[in-house]
Amino acid sequence: MDRVNHQLACLVIVVGPMIGEKFPLSKERMMIGRQREAEIFIDDTSISRRHAEVVQKTDGAVILHDLGSKNGTLCNDEKIREKALKDGDLIRVGDAILKYVGPNSLEHLYLDEMSERASQDGLTGLFNKQAFQAYLARNLSRCKDLREPLSVGMADLDWFKKINDGWGHPAGDYVLREFAGLVKNAVRPADLLARYGGEEFGLILPHTNLAEARIVGERLRGRVEDHAFVFDGQRLPVTVSIGLAERLDGDEEADALIARADKALYQAKRDGRNRTCCFTGP
């Protein structure tokens, strides 16, 4: 999620899933495809698992190769087997279109801004659900390959509807913004905190087992419990419930991991709210 090094060429998705996502060409060879090992991973069934490859030559040339993909690879609407890329070229793989931006291009600054807007929730400034899903898909694959732990948390503000009903939607918006500002700096740079929807938030903790994740969850929960949420001179009753789950060896998709974290969240609600629960069931 870091900003691109402007000295590197990059590909940016301009049409399709994960729009705004940027991929710096930091390796000599980078594969575009639907398999999770691809350096430029795009989760779309219209794209072959090994669709195309971008190769950087020692003379500075950047070459796009089709890898025998089912739907072919197009550059500027022309089907290609191999083509040297120029700044601004548009590459179509399946239903997705990527733009090639050369090194030191002024367009990097514009793309940085557009990428941030595409990945951020407008109210809280946190990452949005789309960014959460893309980051989780990449890290699920990496942690599986490296046999490292990965935990996911789902957090939900308690009795949020009562705040909206009792003090009005401006109070609800205040609580969401205040919550985001309170917790976003309480996680590591490699972690990701996102607004998943409404008053629900998602947390991705790479290289973190369930016991370690619980410590993080309790730290976030405690911050919210101890903070004074004051709107129009009145203190609002704000707490958060958190459910956590760890990646299992059989997890191929993120949905199963999120579902287990949701089950733990529901357990936290049933147990009285304002608590952290870990999924340990079958």
Side-chain angles (χ1 to χ4, degrees):
M1 295 293 173
D2 295 333
R3 288 193 168 214
V4 165
N5 181 343
H6 293 177
Q7 295 180 343
L8 294 176
C10 74
L11 295 179
V12 58
I13 298 177
V14 295
V15 173
M18 301 159 54
I19 188 168
E21 184 82 4
K22 293 177 294 184
F23 300 92
L25 301 184
S26 56
K27 298 181 180 179
E28 180 184 349
R29 293 178 175 272
M30 296 184 67
M31 184 175 67
I32 304 170
R34 187 164 46 88
Q35 73 176 33
R36 298 198 182 275
E37 293 75 17
E39 289 82 4
I40 302 173
F41 165 67
I42 306 175
D43 190 11
D44 190 294
T45 55
S46 67
I47 297 170
S48 297
R49 292 177 59 80
R50 294 172 49 85
H51 199 107
E53 184 180 50
V54 179
V55 180
Q56 298 189 84
K57 301 291 188 180
T58 55
D59 62 1
V62 178
I63 309 297
L64 173 67
H65 296 277
D66 180 72
L67 296 177
S69 61
K70 181 178 179 181
N71 296 327
T73 300
L74 285 75
C75 185
N76 300 327
D77 293 327
E78 292 186 5
K79 197 168 186 177
I80 62 99
R81 285 180 174 270
E82 177 178 303
K83 182 175 175 61
L85 294 174
K86 305 187 302 296
D87 192 22
D89 279 348
L90 295 176
I91 302 163
R92 178 182 286 276
V93 289
D95 294 332
I97 299 177
L98 300 91
K99 187 172 187 176
Y100 172 71
V101 180
N104 299 312
S105 170
L106 292 176
E107 193 168 2
H108 277 292
L109 299 174
Y110 169 77
L111 291 174
D112 279 341
E113 182 67 23
M114 291 301 100
S115 179
E116 285 194 1
R117 291 186 183 184
S119 65
Q120 282 185 344
D121 171 63
L123 177 64
T124 64
L126 298 177
F127 288 108
N128 57 25
K129 183 176 181 180
Q130 182 185 32
F132 176 91
Q133 291 173 324
Y135 193 68
L136 180 55
R138 290 199 300 273
N139 278 276
L140 186 64
S141 175
R142 289 170 184 167
C143 288
K144 181 179 179 180
D145 292 343
L146 296 172
R147 298 184 180 277
E148 292 186 349
L150 167 73
S151 293
V152 165
M154 301 304 293
D156 189 85
L157 293 174
D158 298 324
W159 307 116
F160 185 74
K161 186 176 185 300
K162 288 187 176 181
I163 293 174
N164 275 334
D165 291 345
W167 286 274
H169 287 281
D173 288 349
Y174 157 77
V175 168
L176 292 170
R177 288 192 297 267
E178 191 78 357
F179 171 83
L182 186 64
V183 301
K184 67 182 180 182
N185 294 323
V187 296
R188 303 166 302 183
D191 302 334
L192 183 136
L193 181 66
R195 186 181 181 193
Y196 199 75
E199 67 273 23
E200 189 174 20
F201 298 82
L203 178 63
I204 301 170
L205 300 167
H207 321 300
T208 304
N209 64 33
L210 196 57
E212 294 165 336
R214 183 179 182 85
I215 294 171
V216 177
E218 274 296 285
R219 182 169 68 243
L220 300 184
R221 187 201 60 76
R223 280 197 175 198
V224 176
E225 182 182 37
D226 294 340
H227 184 70
F229 289 79
V230 179
F231 181 78
D232 277 352
Q234 299 182 72
R235 181 160 182 170
L236 305 180
V238 180
T239 56
V240 65
S241 297
I242 301 173
L244 297 161
E246 185 177 353
R247 180 188 70 81
L248 301 177
D249 288 340
D251 287 337
E252 296 295 335
E253 303 293 337
D255 289 348
L257 179 54
I258 293 172
R260 294 198 300 275
D262 270 331
K263 286 183 179 180
L265 172 60
Y266 297 148
Q267 187 63 50
K269 295 287 190 180
R270 287 193 296 268
D271 289 348
R273 295 176 169 79
N274 188 26
R275 62 193 64 223
T276 302
C277 284
C278 297
F279 181 86
T280 56

